Amino acid sequence: MYRAENVTVIASGRRLVDGASITARPGRVTVLVGPNGAGKSTLLKAMSGEHRLATGRVTLDGVSIHDMRPLELARRRAVLPQAAEVAFPFTAAEVITAGLMAGEGHDRARILRLLARVDLPGFADRRYDSLSGGERQRVQLARILAQLDAGRADVPGYLFLDEPTASLDLAHQLTVLNIARAHSDAGGGVLAVLHDLNLAAMVADEIVVLAGGRVRAAGPVAEVLTEPVLADAFGIRLRIGVAPPGPFILPQNVQAAQ
């Protein structure tokens, strides 16, 4: 398991995350939801090792990630940030190659397979800076898939996805969610930040609701996406409809809190 225990992150005197505890499990998709500024991305970065902790600890299979060598951690978890800048005129293939471990070389066949997987066939030699925002995001997704593919063969590893659908059209939002689901079905773990509650309901096995840096609710989709929980977290009144296979939220039913 990949676990955050009583994690607090402080920046500029503000508690961005306040005593949060969550667990990402193999074979499961865990989704973080909540309002802007809730601490979702900060918590994900803390769990990836990017943020320094004021309190608490983050462990992978019981071992603190801060006690693991960077290469060992990179073999077990890969992170897709909200945005990734590339300062040089690299091609899509060269960006993906950055996800491969040292000494593996430029595996053209693997790169082509990964580009096809993210629906970018024929993009290997396209310059990264010529691509749209959504295309760049999918190249970066291919990069982190390459990273985990190159990791430990006996452990699929963890995908950390920070708003992976934000710059994508509907078809490619579903592509990303299908990749996340396939990874978990293969035994890997997924921790994702999503703003769209309907997409979260579609893909998640477990949902964690954050607000004000604190975990307000966590558990199976149907138990967490409830009117009281969401009203408390988002400060709005809403109605949740239920149809197979689970809850859905219509924007037309959302009203400002009185």
Side-chain angles (χ1 to χ4, degrees):
M1 295 188 299
Y2 208 124
R3 180 161 176 78
E5 301 176 39
N6 193 34
V7 165
T8 298
V9 178
I10 298 174
S12 300
R14 295 180 57 241
R15 287 179 177 257
L16 304 182
V17 176
D18 189 2
S21 297
I22 69 169
T23 301
R25 296 175 173 83
R28 308 285 284 179
V29 177
T30 302
V31 176
L32 306 178
V33 302
N36 293 338
K40 305 181 296 297
S41 294
T42 302
L43 178 56
L44 185 143
K45 290 177 180 178
M47 293 184 68
S48 74
E50 183 175 342
H51 278 327
R52 185 175 181 177
L53 309 182
T55 67
R57 67 176 190 152
V58 177
T59 59
L60 175 52
D61 293 339
V63 178
S64 169
I65 64 169
H66 299 287
D67 292 335
M68 299 174 69
R69 293 181 297 114
L71 179 59
E72 180 184 4
L73 185 58
R75 285 174 169 161
R76 301 291 306 280
R77 68 95 183 92
V79 183
L80 180 68
Q82 291 184 28
E85 296 297 328
V86 175
F88 300 97
F90 289 152
T91 65
E94 289 170 332
V95 172
I96 295 169
T97 300
L100 301 175
M101 298 299 170
E104 288 195 309
H106 187 96
D107 188 337
R108 181 80 174 184
R110 177 188 291 182
I111 289 168
L112 295 179
R113 287 195 300 270
L114 287 166
L115 282 168
R117 190 175 176 189
V118 298
D119 196 25
L120 290 173
F123 275 64
D125 298 318
R126 293 272 298 273
R127 278 182 45 156
Y128 184 82
D129 58 11
S130 74
L131 305 181
S132 71
E135 290 166 344
R136 293 182 187 187
Q137 186 76 337
R138 283 182 281 145
V139 169
Q140 293 293 340
L141 176 58
R143 175 187 59 77
I144 69 168
L145 293 174
Q147 178 181 329
L148 286 189
D149 285 350
R152 289 173 49 182
D154 60 324
V155 181
Y158 290 82
L159 286 176
F160 282 17
L161 310 174
D162 193 357
E163 298 188 30
T165 61
S167 60
L168 303 181
D169 58 46
L170 179 58
H172 291 113
Q173 289 178 1
L174 298 178
T175 296
V176 171
L177 296 185
N178 287 337
I179 288 172
R181 172 51 59 193
H183 183 74
S184 69
D185 288 346
V190 178
L191 179 65
V193 172
L194 293 175
H195 273 295
D196 189 315
L197 297 180
N198 288 308
L199 293 179
M202 285 173 56
V203 72
D205 296 301
E206 299 176 359
I207 287 187
V208 179
V209 180
L210 278 83
R214 297 183 178 183
V215 175
R216 299 301 181 93
V221 175
E223 295 180 12
V224 172
L225 290 188
T226 65
E227 294 172 12
V229 168
L230 296 182
D232 173 63
F234 289 91
I236 56 176
R237 295 187 305 166
L238 48 75
R239 292 193 308 246
I240 295 179
V242 178
F248 63 90
I249 296 111
L250 297 177
Q252 294 89 338
N253 290 334
V254 174
Q255 301 177 6
Q258 299 299 318

